Structures are given as structure tokens and as C-alpha cells.
Amino acid sequence: MKRSGPLLTLLAGLLLGLFMLSLNATTGEKSTSSYVKPPGSGKPSPGTKASPSTAPARTSAPPSPSPTRTSVPEGLYTGRTDDDSSAVAITVRDDKAIAYVCDGHNIESWLQGDVRDDGSLRLTGKGGASLDGKVKGTKEIRGTAEVGSGNYAFTIDKAKKSSGLYRANSTVAGAKIEGGWIVLPDGEQVGILRRDGEPSPAPEIAPETGAVTVDGQQLTARPVTP
């Protein structure tokens, strides 16, 4: 009976070893699980681009209409101021304009400037003189002119062949001659001749040729165009 002790101890050790090996084999396995994304999730995963069908449609604004241009027919416009004190002539060419305002005695001004897209004129001259006008229809310009201390309203028409605007610059008997003439549709002539800056009523010219006699000497006045 005394000899059975070591055998029992050895047997118990073997059983314990087998039990431990079986336990390690069982507990050493790791189960794996996979995550399934639940349906209905509205958030896209990072880096995912939105579908083109869900992008909002972009509408382009309609182009702005281009402004309408009101051209001033080229040519000469002549007439008298509303108060009948002076004459006005405006000649238009290539969107440029030159004007002459004259009372035939001592008030006159030459002005020039551009024709704007809306058919209006803004002309300027020496001494702060100015002229504002606008085409009405195809044969009329209405406006006002400021010359010296005077303000002159006018309505002038497209000129006929007999009308004209002329200018002369020369020297006669040592004096500097500067002359301006407006020939109105009825043949009336309004102009000023300056001798060394001194004004006086201008002598008549021949509208067909521009010939004019000043102090016994014949000069030629030229038609004015921009």
C-alpha cells in the first residue's frame, strides 16, 4: 500500500497536464466578427463623391441687352435761337461736332466735342462756353448754348444746300483777320469779323465760293467740317 503513493501522484500530474492542454486549445481560439452597415445610412463615407444626378442644376443669367445707339445724321444744322437774338450752326461728321454761335455784332463762340451714343452733344469752347443738344427725329437738334453771360435755347434743322458755316483766317494790311459766318436757309448771313481781336459785323460772302472782300482785299472763307 505504501508503494501506490508515487503512482497516484504521477497519474494526477498527467491528468492535470492533459486538462491544461485541452483548456488552452479551447480558450486560445479567437472568433472573428464582421460589421454590416445598416441600411438607410444617409452619410457618405469619406472620399466618396456625390452623384452628379443629386447636384443642384445651375442656371445662367440672361445676357444684358446692349444699349441702343441713337446716331445723329451727318451734315449741317442751322437756325436761330428761340429769342431770335443769335444764329446757331452745328456740323456733324464721324461722331464729331463743331458749332458756331453768333449774334452778328460782338457775341460769338466756336465750340467742339463728341456725339454720344444716345444722340446727345456736349460741346465746349473758350471762356467756359458750352452747348448741350440732342437730336430729335432725323432732321432736328434742340438744345441750349451758354456764351458769355447769355443762355440761348435753340431748335435748328438739317440745312439745305443754300445754308452753310464758314470761317476765314488771314492777315490784311498787317492786321490779323478772323471771321465766322452762318448762312441761314433763307439766305440771311450772320457773322463777325475780328481785326486784331476787335469784333465788327462781317461783310457778306459768296456762299457758292466763299469769296469775301475785307478792307479791299479778297479772301476765301472755307466751309467748316469736324
Side-chain angles (χ1 to χ4, degrees), residues 85-110:
S85 66
S86 304
V88 179
I90 301 175
T91 180
V92 177
R93 183 179 179 184
D94 293 336
D95 294 330
K96 303 289 184 182
I98 293 177
Y100 183 51
V101 181
C102 178
D103 72 348
H105 301 287
N106 56 14
I107 297 175
E108 68 170 350
S109 181
W110 290 94

Side-chain angles (χ1 to χ4, degrees), residues 150-165:
N151 188 294
Y152 308 91
F154 63 84
T155 300
I156 58 178
D157 299 324
K158 191 82 176 291
K160 299 178 181 179
K161 266 190 174 182
S162 56
S163 300
L165 175 60

Side-chain angles (χ1 to χ4, degrees), residues 25-156:
T26 303
T27 59
E29 292 180 3
K30 294 182 179 179
S31 63
T32 59
S33 62
S34 60
Y35 173 76
V36 179
K37 184 178 180 181
S41 176
K43 295 183 180 180
S45 59
T48 303
K49 295 183 179 179
S51 171
S53 61
T54 62
R58 302 182 67 180
T59 58
S60 58
S64 301
S66 54
T68 303
R69 177 174 174 77
T70 305
S71 61
V72 179
E74 294 186 346
L76 177 68
Y77 298 77
T78 60
R80 298 192 67 88
T81 56
D82 292 353
D83 62 7
D84 202 35
S85 66
S86 304
V88 179
I90 301 175
T91 180
V92 177
R93 183 179 179 184
D94 293 336
D95 294 330
K96 303 289 184 182
I98 293 177
Y100 183 51
V101 181
C102 178
D103 72 348
H105 301 287
N106 56 14
I107 297 175
E108 68 170 350
S109 181
W110 290 94
L111 310 100
Q112 62 182 351
D114 297 327
V115 179
R116 297 175 178 173
D117 289 345
D118 62 354
S120 64
L121 311 172
R122 174 64 177 175
L123 313 182
T124 57
K126 293 181 179 179
S130 64
L131 184 149
D132 292 280
K134 190 164 186 178
V135 63
K136 298 294 182 180
T138 59
K139 297 182 179 180
E140 185 177 273
I141 295 178
R142 297 178 186 176
T144 58
E146 292 187 11
V147 179
S149 59
N151 188 294
Y152 308 91
F154 63 84
T155 300
I156 58 178

